[in-house]
Protein backbone atom coordinates (compact mmCIF):
# COMPACT_ATOMS: atom_id res chain seq x y z
CA UNK A 1 0.00 0.00 0.00
CA UNK A 2 2.82 2.35 0.96
CA UNK A 3 4.66 1.50 -2.29
CA UNK A 4 1.52 2.20 -4.31
CA UNK A 5 1.09 5.57 -2.61
CA UNK A 6 4.72 6.43 -3.41
CA UNK A 7 4.12 5.55 -7.06
CA UNK A 8 1.02 7.75 -7.15
CA UNK A 9 2.91 10.60 -5.53
CA UNK A 10 5.77 10.23 -8.01
CA UNK A 11 3.34 10.17 -10.94
CA UNK A 12 1.54 13.24 -9.62
CA UNK A 13 4.86 15.07 -9.17
CA UNK A 14 5.84 14.09 -12.71
CA UNK A 15 2.55 15.40 -14.08
CA UNK A 16 2.96 18.68 -12.21
CA UNK A 17 6.51 19.11 -13.52
CA UNK A 18 5.38 18.28 -17.05
CA UNK A 19 2.51 20.80 -16.81
CA UNK A 20 4.86 23.49 -15.53
CA UNK A 21 7.31 22.81 -18.37
CA UNK A 22 4.52 22.95 -20.95
CA UNK A 23 3.32 26.26 -19.56
CA UNK A 24 6.86 27.64 -19.38
CA UNK A 25 7.85 26.69 -22.94
CA UNK A 26 4.44 27.76 -24.23
CA UNK A 27 4.92 31.18 -22.64
CA UNK A 28 8.45 31.44 -24.08
CA UNK A 29 7.25 30.56 -27.60
CA UNK A 30 4.41 33.09 -27.46
CA UNK A 31 6.60 35.90 -26.10
CA UNK A 32 9.30 35.03 -28.63
CA UNK A 33 6.78 35.41 -31.45
CA UNK A 34 5.63 38.77 -30.06
CA UNK A 35 9.24 39.98 -29.86
CA UNK A 36 9.91 38.89 -33.46
CA UNK A 37 6.75 40.64 -34.70
CA UNK A 38 7.76 43.80 -32.86
CA UNK A 39 11.22 43.58 -34.41
CA UNK A 40 9.78 43.21 -37.91
CA UNK A 41 7.59 46.28 -37.35
CA UNK A 42 10.54 48.32 -36.08
CA UNK A 43 12.62 47.16 -39.04
CA UNK A 44 9.92 48.29 -41.47
CA UNK A 45 9.92 51.71 -39.76
CA UNK A 46 13.74 51.95 -40.01
CA UNK A 47 14.06 51.85 -36.21
CA UNK A 48 17.05 49.53 -36.40
CA UNK A 49 18.26 49.74 -32.79
CA UNK A 50 14.82 48.90 -31.43
CA UNK A 51 14.44 46.14 -34.02
CA UNK A 52 17.79 44.62 -33.08
CA UNK A 53 16.93 44.65 -29.38
CA UNK A 54 13.60 42.95 -30.09
CA UNK A 55 15.25 40.20 -32.13
CA UNK A 56 17.95 39.78 -29.48
CA UNK A 57 15.22 39.41 -26.86
CA UNK A 58 13.49 36.81 -29.05
CA UNK A 59 16.69 34.81 -29.52
CA UNK A 60 17.26 34.61 -25.76
CA UNK A 61 13.91 32.95 -25.18
CA UNK A 62 14.12 29.37 -23.94
CA UNK A 63 12.46 27.48 -26.78
CA UNK A 64 13.28 23.97 -27.92
CA UNK A 65 10.84 23.44 -30.80
CA UNK A 66 11.40 26.64 -32.78
CA UNK A 67 14.43 27.48 -34.92
CA UNK A 68 16.33 30.66 -34.08
CA UNK A 69 18.14 30.80 -37.42
CA UNK A 70 15.72 33.27 -39.00
CA UNK A 71 15.93 35.47 -35.90
CA UNK A 72 19.71 35.60 -36.31
CA UNK A 73 19.29 36.66 -39.93
CA UNK A 74 17.15 39.56 -38.72
CA UNK A 75 19.77 40.46 -36.13
CA UNK A 76 22.46 40.52 -38.78
CA UNK A 77 20.35 42.70 -41.07
CA UNK A 78 19.80 45.23 -38.26
CA UNK A 79 23.51 45.30 -37.46
CA UNK A 80 24.35 46.00 -41.11
CA UNK A 81 21.92 48.93 -41.15
CA UNK A 82 23.49 50.15 -37.90
CA UNK A 83 26.96 49.97 -39.44
CA UNK A 84 28.09 47.28 -36.99
CA UNK A 85 29.54 45.09 -39.72
CA UNK A 86 31.94 43.04 -37.61
CA UNK A 87 29.13 41.91 -35.31
CA UNK A 88 26.94 41.14 -38.31
CA UNK A 89 29.68 38.98 -39.83
CA UNK A 90 30.02 37.06 -36.55
CA UNK A 91 26.30 36.27 -36.53
CA UNK A 92 26.30 35.03 -40.13
CA UNK A 93 29.44 32.99 -39.44
CA UNK A 94 27.59 31.12 -36.69
CA UNK A 95 24.78 30.28 -39.10
CA UNK A 96 27.21 29.16 -41.81
CA UNK A 97 29.16 26.99 -39.36
CA UNK A 98 26.11 24.84 -38.67
CA UNK A 99 25.41 24.12 -42.29
CA UNK A 100 26.77 25.32 -45.59
CA UNK A 101 24.17 27.85 -46.57
CA UNK A 102 24.40 30.29 -49.46
CA UNK A 103 22.44 33.07 -47.81
CA UNK A 104 24.58 33.07 -44.67
CA UNK A 105 27.81 33.21 -46.66
CA UNK A 106 26.52 36.00 -48.92
CA UNK A 107 25.33 38.20 -46.07
CA UNK A 108 28.53 37.58 -44.14
CA UNK A 109 30.42 38.61 -47.28
CA UNK A 110 28.38 41.81 -47.54
CA UNK A 111 29.24 42.64 -43.92
CA UNK A 112 32.93 42.13 -44.73
CA UNK A 113 32.60 44.28 -47.86
CA UNK A 114 31.05 47.15 -45.94
CA UNK A 115 33.79 46.84 -43.33
CA UNK A 116 36.46 47.22 -46.03
CA UNK A 117 37.62 43.60 -46.06
CA UNK A 118 37.30 43.07 -49.81
CA UNK A 119 39.21 39.78 -49.94
CA UNK A 120 37.00 38.12 -47.31
CA UNK A 121 33.92 39.51 -49.04
CA UNK A 122 34.79 37.87 -52.37
CA UNK A 123 35.73 34.61 -50.62
CA UNK A 124 32.33 34.49 -48.96
CA UNK A 125 30.44 35.29 -52.15
CA UNK A 126 32.29 32.44 -53.85
CA UNK A 127 31.47 30.16 -50.91
CA UNK A 128 27.82 31.13 -51.29
CA UNK A 129 27.89 30.06 -54.94
CA UNK A 130 29.67 26.80 -54.11
CA UNK A 131 27.24 26.02 -51.27
CA UNK A 132 24.23 26.21 -53.61
CA UNK A 133 24.77 26.99 -57.27
CA UNK A 134 21.04 27.34 -57.88
CA UNK A 135 20.66 30.05 -55.25
CA UNK A 136 21.10 33.41 -56.96
CA UNK A 137 22.16 35.33 -53.87
CA UNK A 138 25.88 34.55 -54.16
CA UNK A 139 25.99 35.58 -57.81
CA UNK A 140 24.02 38.76 -57.16
CA UNK A 141 26.19 39.94 -54.27
CA UNK A 142 29.37 39.18 -56.17
CA UNK A 143 27.96 41.17 -59.10
CA UNK A 144 27.36 44.07 -56.69
CA UNK A 145 30.95 43.87 -55.51
CA UNK A 146 32.25 44.00 -59.09
CA UNK A 147 29.99 46.94 -59.94
CA UNK A 148 31.19 48.86 -56.90
CA UNK A 149 34.78 48.28 -57.98
CA UNK A 150 34.02 49.11 -61.63
CA UNK A 151 34.96 45.59 -62.78
CA UNK A 152 32.18 45.52 -65.34
CA UNK A 153 33.44 42.58 -67.41
CA UNK A 154 33.58 40.45 -64.27
CA UNK A 155 30.12 41.67 -63.26
CA UNK A 156 28.68 40.65 -66.63
CA UNK A 157 30.43 37.27 -66.51
CA UNK A 158 29.00 36.40 -63.09
CA UNK A 159 25.48 37.38 -64.20
CA UNK A 160 25.79 35.16 -67.27
CA UNK A 161 27.03 32.32 -65.08
CA UNK A 162 23.90 32.70 -62.95
CA UNK A 163 21.63 32.64 -65.98
CA UNK A 164 23.43 29.63 -67.44
CA UNK A 165 22.86 27.53 -64.27
CA UNK A 166 19.97 28.69 -64.19
CA UNK A 167 19.37 29.96 -60.66
CA UNK A 168 16.03 29.41 -58.95
CA UNK A 169 16.08 32.56 -56.81
CA UNK A 170 16.68 36.26 -57.51
CA UNK A 171 16.16 35.65 -61.23
CA UNK A 172 14.42 39.01 -61.66
CA UNK A 173 17.16 40.96 -59.86
CA UNK A 174 19.82 39.24 -61.94
CA UNK A 175 17.95 39.93 -65.19
CA UNK A 176 17.64 43.63 -64.33
CA UNK A 177 21.29 43.76 -63.25
CA UNK A 178 22.27 42.74 -66.75
CA UNK A 179 20.64 45.92 -68.09
CA UNK A 180 22.58 47.96 -65.55
CA UNK A 181 25.96 46.43 -66.31
CA UNK A 182 25.58 46.99 -70.06
CA UNK A 183 24.80 50.64 -69.34
CA UNK A 184 27.89 50.87 -67.11
CA UNK A 185 29.90 49.46 -70.03
CA UNK A 186 28.30 52.10 -72.32
CA UNK A 187 26.94 49.33 -74.55
CA UNK A 188 23.52 50.85 -74.97
CA UNK A 189 22.30 48.60 -77.79
CA UNK A 190 22.96 45.53 -75.63
CA UNK A 191 21.39 47.30 -72.66
CA UNK A 192 18.26 47.94 -74.72
CA UNK A 193 18.10 44.31 -75.85
CA UNK A 194 18.46 43.22 -72.22
CA UNK A 195 15.77 45.70 -71.15
CA UNK A 196 13.35 44.43 -73.83
CA UNK A 197 13.97 40.85 -72.73
CA UNK A 198 13.47 41.87 -69.09
CA UNK A 199 10.18 43.67 -69.82
CA UNK A 200 8.92 40.69 -71.80
CA UNK A 201 9.58 38.41 -68.83
CA UNK A 202 8.48 40.90 -66.14
CA UNK A 203 5.89 43.13 -67.88
CA UNK A 204 4.49 44.61 -64.66
CA UNK A 205 7.78 46.04 -63.40
CA UNK A 206 7.65 49.84 -63.70
CA UNK A 207 11.41 50.28 -63.29
CA UNK A 208 12.00 47.99 -66.23
CA UNK A 209 9.52 49.90 -68.38
CA UNK A 210 11.12 53.24 -67.55
CA UNK A 211 14.58 51.90 -68.27
CA UNK A 212 13.51 50.50 -71.63
CA UNK A 213 11.86 53.80 -72.56
CA UNK A 214 15.00 55.71 -71.55
CA UNK A 215 17.22 53.45 -73.65
CA UNK A 216 14.87 53.71 -76.65
CA UNK A 217 15.27 57.50 -76.66
CA UNK A 218 19.05 57.39 -76.82
Amino acid sequence: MELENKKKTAMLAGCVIAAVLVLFFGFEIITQKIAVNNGVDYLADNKYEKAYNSFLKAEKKHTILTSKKNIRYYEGECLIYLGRYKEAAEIYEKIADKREEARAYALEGFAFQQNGNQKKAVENYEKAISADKKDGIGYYYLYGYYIENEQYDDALAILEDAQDVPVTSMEQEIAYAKVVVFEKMLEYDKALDAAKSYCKTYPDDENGKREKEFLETR
Side-chain angles (χ1 to χ4, degrees):
M1 188 74 174
E2 185 178 349
L3 181 61
E4 187 175 337
N5 286 336
K6 285 183 178 179
K7 285 182 178 179
K8 288 181 179 179
T9 301
M11 287 179 64
L12 181 60
C15 289
V16 170
I17 292 171
V20 169
L21 288 174
V22 167
L23 288 172
F24 173 75
F25 285 119
F27 174 78
E28 291 291 278
I29 289 170
I30 291 170
T31 52
Q32 182 188 70
K33 187 173 182 180
I34 292 171
V36 169
N37 289 340
N38 289 338
V40 170
D41 289 339
Y42 284 134
L43 194 58
D45 291 336
N46 301 328
K47 297 176 181 178
Y48 303 124
E49 191 69 49
K50 287 185 176 181
Y52 174 69
N53 289 332
S54 291
F55 293 129
L56 196 62
K57 181 179 179 181
E59 188 189 350
K60 290 180 178 178
K61 291 295 180 180
H62 299 285
T63 56
I64 56 176
L65 298 177
T66 58
S67 171
K68 295 182 179 181
K69 184 173 68 175
N70 287 335
I71 296 173
R72 294 190 182 102
Y73 277 122
Y74 278 128
E75 288 176 23
E77 184 176 349
C78 292
L79 289 169
I80 285 176
Y81 283 126
L82 290 167
R84 293 159 61 178
Y85 304 117
K86 183 178 179 182
E87 293 171 72
E90 288 171 356
I91 285 178
Y92 294 131
E93 186 176 10
K94 289 177 183 177
I95 298 171
D97 280 346
K98 292 181 179 178
R99 176 178 147 198
E100 287 203 347
E101 188 172 317
R103 187 181 174 205
Y105 281 129
L107 293 173
E108 183 185 10
F110 183 72
F112 280 128
Q113 183 178 341
Q114 296 305 305
N115 206 35
N117 194 333
Q118 307 299 310
K119 182 179 178 182
K120 288 285 287 183
V122 173
E123 286 176 358
N124 273 271
Y125 297 147
E126 290 174 345
K127 284 180 181 178
I129 294 170
S130 296
D132 187 352
K133 291 187 181 300
K134 288 188 174 295
D135 192 323
I137 192 167
Y139 298 95
Y140 189 72
Y141 274 71
L142 185 53
Y143 147 81
Y145 168 84
Y146 287 139
I147 285 291
E148 185 175 296
N149 288 277
E150 299 183 358
Q151 297 174 239
Y152 302 133
D153 288 334
D154 292 325
L156 178 60
I158 204 66
L159 293 175
E160 289 178 341
D161 285 348
Q163 291 181 318
D164 286 344
V165 169
V167 296
T168 56
S169 66
M170 302 192 76
E171 305 101 314
Q172 183 170 352
E173 292 86 346
I174 287 169
Y176 189 81
K178 204 166 182 180
V179 180
V180 174
V181 74
F182 278 131
E183 284 192 34
K184 294 285 187 181
M185 298 170 77
L186 306 181
E187 296 192 22
Y188 297 112
D189 289 341
K190 291 182 179 179
L192 178 56
D193 288 341
K196 288 178 178 177
S197 176
Y198 177 85
C199 288
K200 185 176 181 180
T201 307
Y202 306 101
D204 297 328
D205 186 82
E206 293 300 324
N207 288 330
K209 290 178 185 177
R210 284 194 293 270
E211 197 62 29
K212 183 172 78 70
E213 290 170 2
F214 164 73
L215 289 165
E216 286 173 335
T217 63
R218 288 192 60 84

